[in-house]
Amino acid sequence: MQNSTIKEGKTLAIVSYFTFIGLIIAIIMNLEKRNSFTSFHIRQMLGLIIMLIFSNLVEEYVNSLLGTAFWIITFVAWLFGLVHAIKEEYKPIPVLGDKFQEWFKNIN
């Protein structure tokens, strides 16, 4: 991708990783510009929110220890995504990142 595209979308890509509210802000602000770098990281964060909901459901209804393990995995994946947004890289989260891009491909 072009370096200018990454530079323009970096701030919103980082904002998308700061809670659900940051994600909503990034989505709304990216509607006009349609920056591909920002969209990539928005899709990653949407997947992370699904992972977080899944870990909470597992913790509540299946097993507390297993849910906590999933939460830790989600947190590490969140850090991974945030660090790569800061480093201006298109690097998907290991294992599920490519699936998140596929599942949420309509978000441009």
Side-chain angles (χ1 to χ4, degrees):
M1 292 290 155
Q2 291 180 341
N3 198 24
S4 63
T5 302
I6 293 172
K7 293 281 187 203
E8 290 172 5
K10 181 179 178 180
T11 302
L12 283 180
I14 293 169
V15 166
S16 72
Y17 283 101
F18 290 109
T19 73
F20 185 70
I21 294 169
L23 177 63
I24 298 300
I25 290 168
I27 289 171
I28 291 170
M29 291 185 75
N30 196 45
L31 285 175
E32 250 181 64
K33 294 183 180 182
R34 305 277 184 187
N35 184 287
S36 61
F37 184 72
T38 302
S39 297
F40 175 86
H41 286 285
I42 286 172
R43 290 188 291 268
Q44 293 294 291
M45 185 58 184
L46 277 171
L48 287 169
I49 288 176
I50 290 171
M51 286 175 61
L52 180 63
I53 292 168
F54 177 77
S55 68
N56 287 339
L57 290 173
V58 168
E59 185 172 35
E60 183 70 29
Y61 298 109
V62 179
N63 183 317
S64 179
L65 187 59
L66 183 61
T68 301
F70 282 141
W71 186 90
I72 291 169
I73 291 168
T74 302
F75 178 73
V76 170
W78 174 81
L79 281 176
F80 181 89
L82 178 61
V83 165
H84 288 287
I86 292 168
K87 291 170 60 178
E88 303 175 356
E89 295 178 348
Y90 281 92
K91 188 153 185 172
I93 294 164
V95 182
L96 291 175
D98 289 328
K99 287 293 182 189
F100 296 157
Q101 293 302 312
E102 180 184 326
W103 295 338
F104 305 120
K105 64 185 169 200
N106 293 332
I107 297 174
N108 293 338

